[in-house]
Amino acid sequence: FFLSLVKVDCKVASRFAHTVITSSALNKANSSQEVFFEVDLPKTAFITNFSMEIEGQTYTGEVKEKEKAKKQYQKAVSTGQTAGLVRASGRKMEKFTVSVNIAANSNVTFILTHEELLQRKLGQYEIMTRVKPKQLVQHFEIVADIYEPQGIDFLEAYGTFISNELLPLVEKTVSDKKAHISFCPTLDQQRKCLGCEGTLIDGDFFIKYDVNRAETIGDIQIVNGYFVHFFAPSDLPRVPKNVVFVIDRSGSMRGIKMKQTKDAMLAILNDLAEDDYFGIVLFDSSISTWKESLTKATKENVSEAQQFIQGITDLGATNINDAVMKAVDMIMKGKRDKKVPERSVSMVILMTDGMPNSGESSVPHIQENVLLAMGGNMTLFCLGFGDDVDYSFLDVMSRQNKGLARRIYEGSDATVQLQGFYEEVASPLLSEVDLRYPDNLVNSLTTSHYKQLFNGSEIVVAGRLTDYSLDNFLVEVFAHGVRNRQFEEDFIVKGQASAQEWDILYPEQEYIFGDYTERLWAYLTIQELLKTGTAEEKGNATAQALEMSLQYSFTDEEPEGPLIADKLTEVDGDPHFMIELPEQEDALCFNIDDRPGTIFNLVRDQLAGILVNGQTIGDKKVAPDGKVNTYFGRFGIIHQGLGVRLEVTTHDITVSQDGKQAKLFWSDTVTKDRSLTVTLRDSVRFVVILHKVWKQHPYHQDYLGFYTLDSHLLSPSVHGLLGQFYHGVQFEVKDMRPGEVPEKPDATMLVKGQELTVTRGWQRDFRWDVKNGENIPCWFIHSNGNGLIDGNHTDYIMSGLFKTV
């Protein structure tokens, strides 16, 4: 395939970004081929439109109610039609993928539109575009037009992949109220070197900017019966804060995580202001403090606290409940004893990498306890460290207490992530911020009360007007703050909102992208509905959000979104079996240990005439620890209806039909990504991944991974080590308790009428990242899956690669 066009066109009107990504490809082959369209988009964005143009005909995607969409998706896949899928892709992005079969010498153009409200962090807005075309592009272009009626304060544009040679190609024109940015390298300018086919375009392109700040009421825009209010006053003095840092020192924090936490805390303590009060609570299964009460952040006290941080050692389990309770007690005591300033902001910052498995371990009970204890008197911020943390628990608990959670990704920059988060909340300017609008003129308001406003951030409220032609009304903002150093008083500002005439502000720009204030209002409303707390509220809110999403063509592509992937079952490594259960938001995993050369039945569906067997291989020789590692080294796949046999080894792929045979080698260019997708007509797809090992490795050798897609297309009678789970499995987990390893708690699982002891661990999923894989948390079933699988693992041993017995 040849990429003739990749264009990213972004238009921003008052922080609301509307991005259209267009990509055209030509199938230069003499036969039809499948072409994939992949786009990384921000996690906070909604897909509003997707279409394809093939041979002059346009096909437009539709946003539908989830169950209908799911059925249509399954039907589309089963009949070989096109269907889209969104999945996580790193820290800030999600990947939208769609594939389509294109005839020889034909063109296809993909057009994806997404919208998002840019959030102000640390005094700036950020537009991030991920570009990875993986080949030279005839016409490559990134264009952005920004319209900000408040005026643009500063703007910068750069790319992680842009060298000194490419830098002059980043063109930007900035006037008072608008900016134009473009980056359009020619085919030759994209080349890694003269005559090379490799491309330099591989990374992220950033535009960062801020707007001029009004000192009083902020910026209010009214367009066609909807208004939006941006509030971020400048030149306000910071409010003193009372902060307790609650730090996980359990065994799972051992090593690099603890070092990074210590490094971040040393820098964070340095940033405390002299009029701040602070405390430190450490926890594993027990709780300890630096000092029993809040302490003023003098230079001497900060220095002493830093020495205390340096001495933290890690061991034990994870008692989150008692640790947070201790922090709350310290703040409440400080207030009762009038030790802290009366006009100050209180917050607890919890840093943890694990699940609660000591003391109170019930997540709902902990959330209830914390909510009751905090009582709206302070804010909770939670930092979840690494892949194994129960992030949804932290997220809900933070939002219940007017704060937010942030995932800290494991990596060399974790210290910077921790510091960066702290900087966002380090300087409170106002507390209990109440934005008020006339009840008789305004309705359908988004959230208009905020616990705090931090320096560098922004409050955004949108609403609907009762009178469509209304172009002015009174706005009031009430909050607690420090107006000057001599005396403290409430912060009160009032002002008149008035409609902005966009055609006068931007006379040459007749159409930006429709009634953006209405779309922004809908965007904020849907975001808030999706974050609703209790189960009952969540049900009603989700239904309302769905209705609005359909009305405004917003596709919220979380795993539960309209275009949903079917459950996935897979096997990889040693051999590790993993069953992902999206409906239960969980996964089960087990290993099978047997001697090398054993053939196991993985999938057997007599009605569909499909059989998959896998044969294990061992290491080259036994490792010094004496453990015999086994992996899958051969797979045999049969489709009886088509009379096809497929044998996949670590070296080659052989297809047999009607006495004819064809062989393909992994080293061939068509399989250079080491991934083979086997599509069985009107049925399931299997993906086989080749894991390459260094040839000179003394013990290990190449092995295969096996993944199943569209398993719902097989009959209810499908069985096998994997097949038996294709239609789900019901289980319940209770009685979580410390395990042998601190970060891997044990629990009791009720499954198939039995009680099993299981361990929380994780397995690597290599489907989307063949080289590194992705850590998936799962419940590990011991003893070759006994109790989870039907019968014993030996029942699945076959006499040959294509045998059923």
Side-chain angles (χ1 to χ4, degrees):
F1 276 96
F2 171 68
L3 274 175
S4 55
L5 170 71
V6 171
K7 182 177 180 180
V8 180
D9 188 353
C10 177
K11 286 183 169 55
V12 181
S14 293
R15 292 73 129 180
F16 196 54
H18 172 97
T19 303
V20 181
I21 300 167
T22 308
S23 183
S24 295
L26 169 67
N27 178 9
K28 297 174 84 174
N30 294 326
S31 59
S32 65
Q33 284 196 62
E34 191 176 27
V35 60
F36 287 88
F37 172 68
E38 282 194 345
V39 171
D40 287 289
L41 57 146
K43 285 185 175 175
T44 50
F46 285 111
I47 295 172
T48 56
N49 187 51
F50 174 69
S51 62
M52 292 186 298
E53 292 175 12
I54 304 170
E55 295 299 296
Q57 199 161 353
T58 301
Y59 304 87
T60 304
E62 285 184 81
V63 181
K64 298 206 170 183
E65 191 270 321
K66 178 185 158 188
E67 281 310 310
K68 287 181 193 164
K70 184 175 179 182
K71 284 173 187 162
Q72 288 202 352
Y73 171 78
Q74 293 170 349
K75 186 180 175 187
V77 173
S78 68
T79 55
Q81 294 173 5
T82 300
L85 170 66
V86 170
R87 56 184 168 79
S89 172
R91 300 178 184 182
K92 296 182 178 179
M93 311 297 275
E94 284 178 332
K95 192 180 287 292
F96 174 86
T97 307
V98 71
S99 65
V100 65
N101 225 43
I102 297 298
N105 300 306
S106 292
N107 271 301
V108 59
T109 298
F110 300 96
I111 303 162
L112 179 81
T113 306
H114 64 79
E115 294 180 356
E116 68 166 327
L117 175 66
L118 304 178
Q119 294 177 338
R120 189 170 186 247
K121 286 183 183 173
L122 300 174
Q124 62 186 18
Y125 306 99
E126 177 185 284
I127 304 164
M128 175 180 167
T129 304
R130 180 157 292 165
V131 281
K132 291 177 173 288
K134 298 178 184 171
Q135 61 170 275
L136 298 173
V137 181
Q138 185 78 41
H139 182 91
F140 180 89
E141 187 178 7
I142 295 174
V143 181
D145 289 288
I146 297 170
Y147 303 90
E148 290 291 353
Q150 278 179 264
I152 294 168
D153 180 36
F154 77 87
L155 183 144
E156 59 181 43
Y158 63 93
T160 56
F161 55 89
I162 291 179
S163 60
N164 289 338
E165 290 76 26
L166 290 176
L167 202 55
L169 302 179
V170 181
E171 296 179 4
K172 56 180 188 176
T173 310
V174 185
S175 61
D176 177 30
K177 289 181 166 53
K178 63 183 178 180
H180 177 80
I181 301 98
S182 67
F183 175 64
C184 310
T186 65
L187 205 62
D188 283 336
Q189 287 167 334
Q190 296 169 40
R191 293 184 195 277
K192 279 189 172 175
C193 59
L194 198 63
C196 291
E197 289 303 302
T199 178
L200 290 167
I201 311 300
D202 183 12
D204 298 325
F205 188 83
F206 291 95
I207 299 170
K208 296 183 178 182
Y209 75 96
D210 198 16
V211 301
N212 298 325
R213 297 282 148 199
E215 285 187 20
T216 54
I217 198 69
D219 178 45
I220 298 147
Q221 290 164 30
I222 305 170
V223 181
N224 293 342
Y226 288 83
F227 82 91
V228 59
H229 182 190
F230 299 98
F231 181 67
S234 59
D235 302 325
L236 285 178
R238 59 177 294 285
V239 178
K241 66 177 178 293
N242 317 308
V243 55
V244 180
F245 300 98
V246 181
I247 302 169
D248 188 341
R249 62 168 181 202
S250 62
S252 57
M253 289 289 288
R254 185 172 296 122
I256 187 69
K257 285 190 212 172
M258 184 51 79
K259 182 187 182 305
Q260 289 170 327
T261 303
K262 286 181 182 181
D263 290 346
M265 278 303 304
L266 295 177
I268 286 168
L269 290 172
N270 267 339
D271 288 341
L272 290 171
E274 283 241 1
D275 56 355
D276 288 338
Y277 281 76
F278 73 105
I280 300 169
V281 175
L282 307 179
F283 71 96
D284 44 45
S285 49
S286 61
I287 312 297
S288 64
T289 59
W290 168 52
K291 290 185 187 296
E292 272 298 304
S293 57
L294 294 182
T295 307
K296 201 169 195 291
T298 62
K299 284 196 175 96
E300 296 76 24
N301 287 337
V302 165
S303 178
E304 190 186 324
Q306 287 173 321
Q307 288 175 339
F308 174 77
I309 292 291
Q310 292 277 34
I312 299 175
T313 55
D314 42 70
L315 75 165
T318 309
N319 187 344
I320 290 174
N321 185 80
D322 292 357
V324 176
M325 288 299 152
K326 181 65 180 174
V328 173
D329 286 346
M330 288 170 73
I331 290 173
M332 297 305 283
K333 187 173 186 300
K335 286 185 168 187
R336 273 197 313 272
D337 298 348
K338 300 198 181 316
K339 188 170 182 179
V340 300
E342 188 182 342
R343 189 64 61 89
S344 57
V345 167
S346 299
M347 61 180 75
V348 173
I349 299 180
L350 167 66
M351 305 179 193
T352 180
D353 77 331
M355 299 167 63
N357 59 11
S358 175
E360 177 59 76
S361 58
S362 159
V363 164
H365 288 167
I366 297 172
Q367 289 169 337
E368 196 178 312
N369 294 345
V370 171
L371 184 60
L372 203 63
M374 290 194 163
N377 296 309
M378 62 197 77
T379 312
L380 175 66
F381 299 104
C382 294
L383 297 172
F385 215 125
D387 296 332
D388 310 314
V389 70
D390 188 344
Y391 184 75
S392 62
F393 153 56
L394 299 180
D395 183 42
V396 170
M397 192 162 66
S398 298
R399 283 193 274 106
Q400 285 174 338
N401 294 283
K402 310 297 182 189
L404 57 97
R406 184 72 53 81
R407 193 185 283 281
I408 302 298
Y409 293 87
E410 288 186 56
S412 57
D413 67 338
T415 299
V416 177
Q417 292 176 59
L418 288 163
Q419 280 176 255
F421 173 83
Y422 175 74
E423 280 174 37
E424 286 179 41
V425 300
S427 299
L429 304 178
L430 297 171
S431 63
E432 305 299 344
V433 187
D434 207 18
L435 300 100
R436 299 181 192 172
Y437 313 91
D439 287 344
N440 59 329
L441 301 178
V442 171
N443 62 25
S444 302
L445 270 184
T446 60
T447 299
S448 58
H449 181 87
Y450 286 80
K451 191 73 182 165
Q452 281 129 358
L453 170 68
F454 296 100
N455 189 31
S457 68
E458 180 174 63
I459 287 173
V460 184
V461 181
R464 198 159 46 182
L465 306 177
T466 54
D467 179 356
Y468 195 80
S469 61
L470 184 71
D471 64 3
N472 65 77
F473 55 88
L474 180 70
V475 176
E476 301 171 297
V477 181
F478 297 86
H480 300 319
V482 180
R483 288 302 291 264
N484 59 48
R485 293 296 178 197
Q486 278 73 48
F487 63 94
E488 296 173 343
E489 63 174 40
D490 284 332
F491 174 93
I492 303 172
V493 290
K494 301 183 181 186
Q496 199 74 15
S498 56
Q500 302 233 328
E501 302 294 333
W502 278 78
D503 53 346
I504 296 170
L505 278 171
Y506 306 105
E508 78 289 3
Q509 185 68 34
E510 291 176 22
Y511 173 78
I512 289 181
F513 55 90
D515 301 336
Y516 82 94
T517 47
E518 181 178 355
R519 295 192 68 76
L520 195 154
W521 166 80
Y523 174 97
L524 284 173
T525 303
I526 291 167
Q527 291 276 37
E528 287 173 8
L529 286 167
L530 292 172
K531 288 178 180 174
T532 304
T534 67
E536 187 181 345
E537 289 171 342
K538 204 171 188 67
N540 297 333
T542 304
Q544 202 179 333
L546 172 64
E547 194 179 324
M548 285 188 70
S549 294
L550 300 179
Q551 184 184 343
Y552 286 92
S553 298
F554 284 136
T555 311
D556 177 32
E557 296 287 7
E558 287 296 312
E560 286 292 310
L563 294 179
I564 188 166
D566 198 52
K567 64 176 70 67
L568 298 149
T569 44
E570 54 215 48
V571 52
D572 225 310
D574 189 22
H576 303 305
F577 290 78
M578 180 157 65
I579 298 101
E580 278 195 68
L581 302 159
E583 288 165 12
Q584 288 163 268
E585 295 183 346
D586 216 335
L588 308 178
C589 49
F590 58 94
N591 293 353
I592 296 288
D593 295 315
D594 211 298
R595 64 184 186 280
T598 309
I599 298 169
F600 292 104
N601 174 240
L602 303 180
V603 183
R604 185 181 180 188
D605 188 344
Q606 288 177 304
L607 286 176
I610 288 169
L611 176 79
V612 181
N613 290 338
Q615 185 171 26
T616 59
I617 54 172
D619 280 336
K620 294 173 188 171
K621 58 181 180 179
V622 178
D625 62 7
K627 185 176 187 316
V628 178
N629 295 302
T630 57
Y631 311 88
F632 277 114
R634 286 172 77 210
F635 291 116
I637 301 172
I638 293 179
H639 191 303
Q640 286 175 332
L642 299 174
V644 172
R645 284 189 176 195
L646 182 73
E647 182 178 349
V648 184
T649 72
T650 56
H651 185 248
D652 53 45
I653 300 135
T654 306
V655 185
S656 308
Q657 186 178 27
D658 302 330
K660 295 176 186 173
Q661 200 173 80
K663 187 169 282 197
L664 187 69
F665 294 93
W666 283 103
S667 53
D668 291 347
T669 53
V670 286
T671 56
K672 63 186 176 189
D673 65 349
R674 298 181 191 160
S675 166
L676 171 72
T677 302
V678 181
T679 304
L680 302 178
R681 188 194 297 162
D682 300 337
S683 189
V684 70
R685 281 182 298 162
F686 300 121
V687 178
V688 180
I689 290 174
L690 171 66
H691 295 287
K692 294 287 285 181
V693 173
W694 176 49
K695 277 187 179 176
Q696 264 67 58
H697 198 290
Y699 308 110
H700 303 320
Q701 59 177 323
D702 297 351
Y703 65 95
L704 301 172
F706 182 85
Y707 296 78
T708 315
L709 304 173
D710 319 315
S711 53
H712 59 278
L713 298 173
L714 290 171
S715 77
S717 63
V718 64
H719 210 265
L721 274 172
L722 284 178
Q724 63 189 288
F725 301 110
Y726 283 166
H727 298 293
V729 57
Q730 294 301 313
F731 67 93
E732 186 184 331
V733 176
K734 64 175 188 178
D735 185 26
M736 200 146 64
R737 53 200 180 269
E740 282 183 33
V741 182
E743 65 268 28
K744 294 183 177 178
D746 283 348
T748 300
M749 176 178 286
L750 307 176
V751 61
K752 295 185 177 178
Q754 301 179 71
E755 287 197 0
L756 310 177
T757 296
V758 295
T759 303
R760 192 64 171 174
W762 54 91
Q763 298 281 34
R764 286 210 171 273
D765 176 349
F766 291 92
R767 270 167 305 155
W768 314 119
D769 184 345
V770 175
K771 187 178 176 187
N772 303 309
E774 177 188 0
N775 259 343
I776 302 288
C778 62
W779 291 108
F780 183 82
I781 288 85
H782 302 273
S783 309
N784 293 314
N786 272 352
L788 174 68
I789 63 172
D790 292 340
N792 192 285
H793 81 280
T794 54
D795 300 340
Y796 299 85
I797 294 176
M798 300 292 113
S799 58
L801 197 63
F802 296 102
K803 300 283 190 184
T804 55
V805 289

